[in-house]
């Protein structure tokens, strides 16, 4: 009770830095990519060969 205001402010900061409990830079809307790369982007990405092993991936399309 005594520190509710401080806890609330820290919670807001944490939400801004880690929305949905993930780093902010990982949250992008598909429209960002469609505007930059066009509608073909989704097809190119789906046709890219990637190994699914839960490691960081870089796809050149």
């Amino acid at each position: 009770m005594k520190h509710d205001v401080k806890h609330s402010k820290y919670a807001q900061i944490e939400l801004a830095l880690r929305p949905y409990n993930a780093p902010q830079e990982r949250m992008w809307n598909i429209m960002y990519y469609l505007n930059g790369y066009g509608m073909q982007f989704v097809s190119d990405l789906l046709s890219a060969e990637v190994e699914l092993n839960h490691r960081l991936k870089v796809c050149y399309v």
Side-chain angles (χ1 to χ4, degrees), residues 28-39:
W28 288 96
N29 187 309
I30 188 66
M31 296 309 293
Y32 172 84
Y33 296 101
L34 292 178
N35 285 330
Y37 302 103
M39 294 299 290

Side-chain angles (χ1 to χ4, degrees), residues 4-54:
D4 284 346
V5 173
K6 281 188 181 182
H7 287 289
S8 175
K9 287 183 181 181
Y10 280 112
Q12 290 174 355
I13 292 169
E14 183 177 10
L15 183 61
L17 295 175
R18 295 182 57 83
Y20 302 108
N21 203 25
Q24 182 184 22
E25 67 271 13
R26 293 184 186 177
M27 299 295 164
W28 288 96
N29 187 309
I30 188 66
M31 296 309 293
Y32 172 84
Y33 296 101
L34 292 178
N35 285 330
Y37 302 103
M39 294 299 290
Q40 186 65 32
F41 171 74
V42 176
S43 297
D44 292 343
L45 192 58
L46 290 174
S47 66
E49 293 185 28
V50 264
E51 182 181 345
L52 300 177
N53 60 6
H54 302 288

